[in-house]
Amino acid sequence: MSSVDHSISGRLALITGASGGIGSAVARSLWAEGCSLALTGFSKLQAVEDLVQELLPKRIHESQKATIYKVDTGDSAALEQLFGDIKRDHGHGPDILISNAGYGKRFPGILDVSLEEFDHTININLRASFILSKLSIPHMEAQKWGRIVFVSSIAAIGGGINACHYAASKAGLSGMMKNLAARHAQSGITVNDIAPAMIGDTGMIADAKAVQGTPGDVKNIPVGRLGTPEECAGIVTVMCKTGYLTGQSVLLSGGLK
Ligand SMILES: NC(=O)c1ccc[n+]([C@@H]2O[C@H](COP(=O)([O-])OP(=O)(O)OC[C@H]3O[C@@H](n4cnc5c(N)ncnc54)[C@H](OP(=O)(O)O)[C@@H]3O)[C@@H](O)[C@H]2O)c1
């Protein structure tokens, strides 16, 4: 039978894209739960350094540790290197994987999306989650406890304001999530995804103006506002703390379909 251990204090969480809006909010939330953190950034590494400086004085136990890595998640060799570095710094691989780093350039439609752009988007949004899961699962299997959360998008479900390349990359995550959840449930590993829409205070959507005139315009959002990174982090934290929740995609969209 799989474990009923919901405690995440003392667990090590790898969060990719911790330099961004949602990733940094998840880092704050899991740190407040007592997790140690392995945080990645890429072009904005300084933001991760600032985040760690903010978190360290809020340590809730002595052994809590946060480490920082510069990684291009589109580069498979860099992801392998990341796991070597995490093992060196923490003594083992992540107990919790939050595959959050993502990329999506907005185009009007398929005719504007080059093959290079399609491949680049798939590499960062989908292939990276495959590699990160593959690298994470052996340690999780060995200890019969693990949590994997992919940050997907409403685009996986049918909405979204980007073109089809982004929707394909995020829908791929949902299929992979369901397969992994079924295959690894017996080992105490849960796998879920969160599908946010129109989350403000992020690099993707700075504010309501950024989505004006798109299907994600605030006037189309039933709750009448953008979502917040903290609301995403709340769902991700519940996913980490709830061993009976697996194979699920949670649409966090203020009612937008
Ligand atoms: N905001 C929304 O409304 C929304 C909606 C649906 C889904 N999402 C998803 O939420 C996730 C987080 O995005 P966000 O909204 O928080 O936007 P964000 O603030 O722009 O964060 C994006 C993060 O992804 C990282 N990243 C992008 N390309 C990378 C690469 N090649 N290698 C490594 N890291 C890379 C960025 O790192 P650097 O900045 O350091 O390069 C950054 O930390 C993404 O997967 C996105 O698709 C967001």
Side-chain angles (χ1 to χ4, degrees):
M1 200 178 71
S2 59
S3 106
V4 190
D5 180 1
H6 296 316
S7 170
I8 59 171
S9 185
R11 302 283 188 190
L12 171 62
L14 165 59
I15 304 170
T16 63
S19 48
I22 294 173
S24 59
V26 172
R28 287 187 184 94
S29 181
L30 295 184
W31 185 258
E33 294 286 341
C35 290
S36 280
L37 303 176
L39 303 174
T40 80
F42 183 41
S43 62
K44 298 194 185 100
L45 201 65
Q46 185 59 47
V48 191
E49 278 159 17
D50 294 345
L51 174 64
V52 168
Q53 287 317 309
E54 173 200 320
L55 294 178
L56 287 177
K58 298 177 186 163
R59 223 188 225 124
I60 67 164
H61 56 80
E62 278 297 301
S63 54
Q64 214 176 357
K65 192 169 156 182
T67 52
I68 302 170
Y69 309 90
K70 180 173 182 175
V71 181
D72 176 358
T73 54
D75 176 348
S76 57
L79 292 174
E80 295 233 9
Q81 172 74 44
L82 168 67
F83 272 67
D85 293 347
I86 290 175
K87 191 155 188 212
R88 177 198 64 208
D89 297 340
H90 293 269
H92 56 83
D95 307 306
I96 298 171
L97 164 64
I98 312 296
S99 186
N100 162 74
Y103 165 84
K105 200 164 170 190
R106 236 183 270 172
F107 295 101
I110 187 169
L111 300 184
D112 309 289
V113 181
S114 68
L115 197 52
E116 290 71 27
E117 188 66 27
F118 183 88
D119 288 345
H120 185 62
T121 306
I122 293 285
N123 278 353
I124 295 168
N125 292 356
L126 178 58
R127 195 178 73 145
S129 289
F130 163 74
I131 298 168
L132 289 164
S133 300
K134 201 169 168 173
L135 290 165
S136 296
I137 282 173
H139 165 68
M140 295 176 178
E141 283 272 357
Q143 66 178 9
K144 299 276 178 256
W145 195 99
R147 300 285 181 261
I148 297 177
V149 180
F150 299 144
V151 180
S152 174
S153 167
I154 192 173
I157 295 160
I161 59 176
N162 292 345
C164 62
H165 64 312
Y166 183 77
S169 71
K170 295 296 189 177
L173 283 178
S174 295
M176 188 160 68
M177 173 277 285
K178 288 194 167 105
N179 175 287
L180 291 175
R183 298 294 167 96
H184 298 281
Q186 290 287 315
S187 308
I189 302 172
T190 68
V191 191
N192 295 286
D193 76 53
I194 176 169
M198 310 312 134
I199 308 301
D201 288 330
T202 62
M204 287 206 169
I205 300 178
D207 54 30
K209 269 196 219 129
V211 288
Q212 231 164 26
T214 74
D217 194 313
V218 170
K219 68 177 177 6
N220 300 328
I221 302 176
V223 304
R225 62 170 175 85
L226 299 179
T228 69
E230 291 70 30
E231 287 172 312
C232 293
I235 301 289
V236 171
T237 302
V238 165
M239 287 173 167
C240 294
K241 291 176 74 176
T242 313
Y244 204 51
L245 179 73
T246 196
Q248 302 305 308
S249 179
V250 172
L251 175 62
L252 185 76
S253 68
L256 192 67
K257 294 202 169 99

